[in-house]
Every structure is written in C-alpha cells, then in structure tokens.
C-alpha cells in the first residue's frame, strides 16, 4: 500500500590492502626477549608470543556481508505508525593467517520505533533496540608486569612493600576478538499529550530512557 513500505537488502563487501601492523620478525622477538631479567619462577610471565608492531603493512584483508529487513508504516493519521528493522550481518578480517571478527561485527540487530495514538490528544511511543554484543579480546590470565631498571633491562615490577604487580595477559594474535560483549538491550517509552488535539500547536510529553534499567556493556577492562 501507499502508506507501508517493506524492503529487503543484501550486501557484500570485500576489503583488501588494509593497513595493519606487522608481526615481530625472529630478530625483533629475540631482541625483545633478551631484555627480560626475570627469575626462573617468573619465566611464565614473559610474553613470548609475537606482538603486533607499529610498522605498517598493507596485508590486511576481510569481508562484510548480510541481509537487512525494513518495514515502515508511514501514515501520520493512522493510529499506529513507526518502523521495524532487522539486520543479520557478519564482518570478518583475515590477518596474520587468522580469520576473526572485526571490532564492529554485530551478528544480529533489531530496532523498533513505534507510536500508537490512543486518542486525538494522547499517544504513547516506544523505541526498542536489541543487538548482539561486539567482539573484544578477553584476558586469558595474569602475569607479572615488567618495568625498566637502570641497566635498561626489564625486571618484575613491585609495589612499595615488595609485592609483585600483576597485569592481564591477552595472549597472542590467535586470541584477538575471541570474546563477545553481553547482549545489548534498551527500551525507551514516551507518553505525549496534545491539548489542542492533532492540529494543536503544543505538546507535553514525559519520557523514560532505558525503561528496564538494563546495564549495557560498552567495553570490558
């Protein structure tokens, strides 16, 4: 009909020659490890995996693809108006001989915006968002932090009492973006009153943001 729209879109995008930091060479890895002066019992705290350097290459590749469904009811005089969308997508990169999700990969995303007119003077609106969590790199454990001494070597870091200071161990590149943030959910509700009805010039509204008081994670540290 003239007041309704339903649309389905498919997309596919390839990425190549992306800028990324290259991994350490054998010589760089050996030079870095030679800087550690850790006792025998702390050898497990030395990060022996190759790290990503600041030196850029154009070796990054990837792809993004998915489906997007969209439905809208656009008649402003109807009791029910609004729109609904759902996206099923995947975005993955190929780097360091590994395939893993991009930081913005979100498998499912549902958005709903609607208004229902109860009377000519009063209506209620709802905005809802549901989505999969973004990828992140989880810690796989703890290791003793390192600090540079007067010799230019890396030794175990301690506090004023001589206790070891620990830091998170994020592992090697094979651990990149292997975790997912929790599911995202948010609902906003608005009630609107128009003293002059549909043709009136004024409206008074009250709104509840995040009506269910859900804690949504943006990042994990």
């Amino acid at each position: 009909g003239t007041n309704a729209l339903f649309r389905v879109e498919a997309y596919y995008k390839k990425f190549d020659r992306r800028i990324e930091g290259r991994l350490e060479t054998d010589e760089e890895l050996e030079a870095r490890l030679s800087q550690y002066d850790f006792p025998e019992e702390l050898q497990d705290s030395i990060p022996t995996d190759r790290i990503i350097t600041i030196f850029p290459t154009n070796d990054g590749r990837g792809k993004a693809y998915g489906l997007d469904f969209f439905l809208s009811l656009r008649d402003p005089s109807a009791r029910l108006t609004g729109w609904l969308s759902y996206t099923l997508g995947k975005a993955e990169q190929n780097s360091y001989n590994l395939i893993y999700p991009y930081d913005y990969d979100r498998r499912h995303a549902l958005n709903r915006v609607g208004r229902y007119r109860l009377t000519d003077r009063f209506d209620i609106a709802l905005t809802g968002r549901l989505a999969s969590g973004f990828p992140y790199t989880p810690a796989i454990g703890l290791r003793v932090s390192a600090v540079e001494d007067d010799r230019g070597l890396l030794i175990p870091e301690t506090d004023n009492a001589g206790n070891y200071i620990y830091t998170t161990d994020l592992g090697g590149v094979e651990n990149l973006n292997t975790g997912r943030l929790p599911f995202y959910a948010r609902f906003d509700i608005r009630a609107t009153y128009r003293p002059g009805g549909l043709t009136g010039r004024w409206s008074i509204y009250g709104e509840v943001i995040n009506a269910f008081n859900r804690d949504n994670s943006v990042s994990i540290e």
Side-chain angles (χ1 to χ4, degrees), residues 128-160:
R129 298 175 182 177
L130 301 171
S132 303
F134 286 119
Y136 79 102
T137 300
I140 62 174
L142 293 174
R143 60 182 176 83
V144 176
S145 180
V147 64
E148 186 175 334
D149 66 4
D150 296 336
R151 301 169 297 166
L153 297 178
L154 297 174
I155 61 173
E157 186 176 9
T158 58
D159 59 19
N160 293 332

Side-chain angles (χ1 to χ4, degrees), residues 5-201:
L5 170 67
F6 179 67
R7 183 176 66 226
V8 180
E9 297 184 8
Y11 64 92
Y12 181 86
K13 174 69 175 177
K14 290 186 67 175
F15 308 100
D16 56 26
R17 299 185 300 275
R18 288 182 54 256
I19 294 178
E20 63 183 17
R22 67 164 173 79
L23 290 179
E24 288 178 311
T25 63
D26 292 340
E27 293 77 14
E28 290 169 336
L29 174 61
E30 183 178 353
R32 178 173 61 83
L33 295 180
S34 68
Q35 294 180 305
Y36 283 86
D37 186 16
F38 274 38
E40 186 66 28
E41 65 271 16
L42 294 181
Q43 291 299 302
D44 290 343
S45 286
I46 299 177
T48 57
D49 291 305
R50 296 180 189 273
I51 64 174
I52 300 173
T53 69
I54 62 173
F55 304 107
T57 70
N58 289 105
D59 296 333
R61 304 187 305 279
K63 58 185 176 181
Y65 53 94
L67 289 170
D68 183 73
F69 302 88
F70 179 80
L71 171 66
S72 68
L73 303 175
R74 302 177 292 181
D75 183 2
S77 63
R79 285 193 176 275
L80 177 64
T81 59
W83 58 268
L84 175 72
S85 72
Y86 169 71
T87 299
L88 173 65
K90 190 172 185 179
E92 57 186 16
Q93 62 188 86
N94 188 336
S95 301
Y96 315 117
N97 295 319
L98 297 168
I99 296 177
Y100 55 95
Y102 277 109
D103 290 343
Y104 55 83
D105 176 68
R106 174 165 270 174
R107 200 62 42 85
H108 304 280
L110 176 67
N111 291 279
R112 188 242 190 232
V113 176
R115 175 189 61 81
Y116 187 77
R117 181 165 52 84
L118 299 174
T119 69
D120 288 345
R121 287 185 168 85
F122 186 78
D123 63 55
I124 188 167
L126 171 69
T127 299
R129 298 175 182 177
L130 301 171
S132 303
F134 286 119
Y136 79 102
T137 300
I140 62 174
L142 293 174
R143 60 182 176 83
V144 176
S145 180
V147 64
E148 186 175 334
D149 66 4
D150 296 336
R151 301 169 297 166
L153 297 178
L154 297 174
I155 61 173
E157 186 176 9
T158 58
D159 59 19
N160 293 332
N163 300 309
Y164 290 130
I165 295 177
Y166 287 83
T167 186
T168 53
D169 182 3
L170 298 179
V173 291
E174 69 280 353
N175 192 45
L176 288 172
N177 282 359
T178 56
R180 285 274 176 182
L181 293 175
F183 196 81
Y184 181 92
R186 171 179 158 177
F187 292 90
D188 304 333
I189 300 174
R190 172 183 289 196
T192 304
Y193 175 70
R194 295 178 176 84
L198 296 177
T199 59
R201 299 180 59 187

